């Protein structure tokens, strides 16, 4: 039998284990969709609000950008991403992407801000499961006109039940704002970036503070090796000359700025696999899946669901309960079940070996 790619529907998974599995990334989908906002000489703040409302994303304007800058959008506009980048180019701004936020900021700021969101989010995933789950829970955040950064910091603290020391934030008066479906990493980085500050977490005191930004940062994320082929690697080096690529089995660890990661996530050049008639004649190790789990779930739950769907028996007798509880995220496109399981284990600090139809998971030595 020809082992073609198998795209699993959500029905393959138990809703009790994975209640929020979906096959598409709505943020990237919205960026590819046609811009549905038109108007002549509209203030940038109005354009940002209308785009956010129409496309279900957040468009953040850095405090150093004049929100009254006039913008004109025609009905013949291209995709939302093309429209946003055209707006930025005309206004000598830069665009940064960190789902579910688009950042419009001065050159050298937007991409760095988005990178800091991805980096802080990645660091939050390494916290104990209770803290990671709480801080990465998407919430709506809003403040009134003439709010101060210190007041907003306290709103963030209350929303995500964490201590935030905001005394180092300069006094300022901000316009009203509403952010939808953001996590604590989004909120803290956006709050601080306009003052050239970055949030830092003190695990001993379980407190967030803010430090002066001294240099740009990169963030390390892992992708299936098929997402970063030779052509893509060349593109990434043009985007960020300092990008680093490390092969790790079926995965590639990419360290770079947010523009690098956005390019990988938004790539749709690979041909879409066709669904075959069933999995009965396909060995577990050869079964392929496309799925995405928004937010974070305990590693054990995702491992069990993937093993159930692919036909592997899961053996976790050599793994600690703490690592199995560690929250992990998952987003894969047309990948082998073995590669998916390896990715989950890597995020949770575990190893895996495959013995016929059994996935044996253990703590790292």
């Amino acid at each position: 039998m020809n082992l073609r790619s198998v795209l699993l529907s959500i029905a393959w998974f138990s809703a009790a284990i994975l209640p929020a599995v979906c096959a598409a990334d709505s943020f990237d989908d919205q960026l590819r969709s046609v811009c549905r906002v038109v108007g002549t000489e509209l203030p940038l703040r109005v354009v940002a609000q209308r785009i956010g409302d129409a496309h279900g994303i957040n468009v953040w304007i850095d405090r150093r950008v004049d929100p009254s800058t006039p913008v004109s959008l025609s009905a013949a506009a291209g995709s939302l991403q093309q429209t946003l980048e055209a707006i930025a180019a005309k206004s000598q701004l830069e665009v940064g992407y960190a789902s579910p936020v688009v950042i419009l900021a001065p050159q050298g700021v937007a991409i760095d801000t988005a990178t800091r969101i991805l980096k802080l989010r990645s660091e939050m995933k390494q916290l104990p499961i209770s803290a990671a789950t709480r801080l990465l829970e998407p919430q709506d955040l809003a403040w009134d006109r003439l709010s101060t950064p210190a007041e907003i910091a306290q709103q963030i603290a209350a929303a995500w039940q964490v201590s935030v020391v905001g005394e180092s934030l300069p006094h300022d008066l901000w316009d009203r704002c509403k952010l939808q479906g953001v996590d604590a990493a989004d909120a803290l980085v956006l709050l601080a970036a306009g003052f050239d500050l970055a949030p830092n977490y003190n695990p001993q005191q379980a407190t967030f503070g803010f430090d002066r930004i001294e240099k740009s940062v990169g963030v390390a994320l892992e992708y299936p090796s098929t997402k970063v082929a030779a052509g893509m690697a060349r593109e990434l080096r043009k985007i960020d000359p300092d990008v680093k690529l490390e092969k790790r089995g079926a995965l590639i660890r990419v360290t770079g700025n947010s523009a690098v990661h956005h390019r990988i996530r938004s790539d749709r050049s690979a041909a879409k696999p066709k669904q075959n008639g069933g999995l009965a004649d396909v060995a577990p190790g050869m079964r392929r899946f496309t799925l995405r789990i928004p937010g974070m779930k305990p590693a054990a739950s995702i491992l069990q669901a993937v093993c159930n769907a692919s036909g592997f028996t899961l053996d976790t007798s050599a793994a600690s309960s703490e690592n199995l509880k560690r929250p992990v995220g998952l987003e894969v496109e047309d990948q082998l079940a073995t590669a998916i399981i390896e990715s989950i284990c890597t995020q949770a600090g575990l190893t895996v070996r495959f013995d016929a139809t059994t996935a044996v998971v253990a703590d790292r030595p």
Side-chain angles (χ1 to χ4, degrees):
M1 176 180 178
N2 180 23
L3 299 181
R4 294 176 295 174
S5 302
V6 178
L7 297 181
L8 288 187
S9 67
I10 298 174
W12 281 87
F13 292 93
S14 165
I17 297 176
L18 297 179
V21 176
C22 61
D25 185 326
S26 59
F27 181 72
D28 290 331
D29 288 344
Q30 289 294 352
L31 291 176
R32 285 190 295 273
S33 67
V34 176
C35 181
R36 299 193 291 270
V37 177
V38 297
T40 302
E41 296 295 297
L42 296 172
L44 182 57
R45 68 160 66 88
V46 173
V47 172
Q49 179 181 346
R50 292 185 182 178
I51 286 177
D53 292 342
H55 291 270
I57 63 176
N58 301 287
V59 181
W60 175 264
I61 303 174
D62 184 86
R63 64 181 293 275
R64 287 161 287 199
V65 176
D66 182 358
S68 65
T69 301
V71 173
S72 295
L73 300 174
S74 72
S79 70
L80 177 56
Q81 179 168 331
Q82 290 171 329
T83 301
L84 289 165
E85 292 176 357
I87 291 171
K90 291 179 181 178
S91 305
Q92 296 185 317
L93 300 175
E94 184 178 78
V95 187
Y97 302 97
S99 174
V101 181
V102 174
I103 301 159
L104 294 176
Q107 293 290 330
V109 174
I111 290 174
D112 185 69
T113 300
T115 306
R116 291 180 188 279
I117 289 175
L118 298 180
K119 184 175 177 62
L120 182 57
R121 192 179 289 159
S122 180
E123 292 169 353
M124 287 178 174
K125 293 177 182 178
Q126 304 306 313
L127 297 175
I129 185 169
S130 59
T133 301
R134 185 179 71 254
L135 293 172
L136 293 169
E137 179 70 22
Q139 297 196 47
D140 294 345
L141 183 68
W143 55 82
D144 296 327
R145 186 169 178 269
L146 303 182
S147 294
T148 67
E151 291 170 339
I152 298 168
Q154 291 311 304
Q155 283 186 250
I156 294 172
W160 282 278
Q161 302 175 41
V162 65
S163 178
V164 179
V165 179
E167 286 81 355
S168 60
L169 294 169
H171 181 77
D172 201 2
L173 296 176
W174 283 20
D175 198 359
R176 64 175 57 87
C177 180
K178 183 176 182 180
L179 296 170
Q180 297 181 308
V182 296
D183 57 32
D186 299 317
L188 288 164
V189 172
L190 293 177
L191 174 64
F195 302 106
D196 291 321
L197 298 173
N200 67 82
Y201 183 68
N202 185 323
Q204 285 73 37
Q205 299 178 2
T207 299
F208 281 97
F210 300 94
D211 290 333
R212 180 65 55 184
I213 292 176
E214 300 294 343
K215 60 180 181 179
S216 60
V217 297
V219 58
L221 300 174
E222 292 182 337
Y223 301 92
S225 57
T226 54
K227 294 280 285 184
V228 192
M232 174 64 76
R234 287 193 293 270
E235 282 192 54
L236 300 183
R237 292 189 177 95
K238 292 178 182 178
I239 294 171
D240 180 0
D242 296 324
V243 68
K244 296 180 181 178
L245 308 176
E246 304 170 72
K247 187 73 182 297
R248 298 190 172 193
L251 301 175
I252 289 185
R253 184 179 179 87
V254 180
T255 303
N257 63 31
S258 61
V260 161
H261 296 291
H262 177 66
R263 177 65 188 90
I264 298 172
R265 285 172 52 89
S266 62
D267 181 52
R268 293 295 184 272
S269 59
K272 295 298 181 183
K274 296 180 180 179
Q275 195 164 1
N276 70 13
L279 292 173
D281 296 328
V282 182
M286 297 300 295
R287 297 179 182 181
R288 305 178 76 92
F289 306 90
T290 292
L291 56 89
R292 179 175 185 253
I293 301 171
M296 307 295 292
K297 306 294 179 186
S301 296
I302 305 180
L303 283 169
Q304 189 64 66
V306 173
C307 285
N308 289 346
S310 62
F312 276 111
T313 297
L314 179 63
D315 180 356
T316 59
S317 58
S320 67
S321 59
E322 185 65 25
N323 282 338
L324 289 171
K325 292 178 181 178
R326 185 175 292 280
V328 300
L330 185 63
E331 179 180 356
V332 294
E333 181 175 331
D334 187 30
Q335 287 302 302
L336 291 171
T338 51
I340 297 173
I341 294 170
E342 287 173 353
S343 175
I344 297 167
C345 290
T346 297
Q347 293 182 59
L350 299 165
T351 62
V352 62
R353 64 178 176 84
F354 297 97
D355 181 9
T357 59
T358 301
V360 183
V361 175
D363 290 334
R364 289 189 183 279

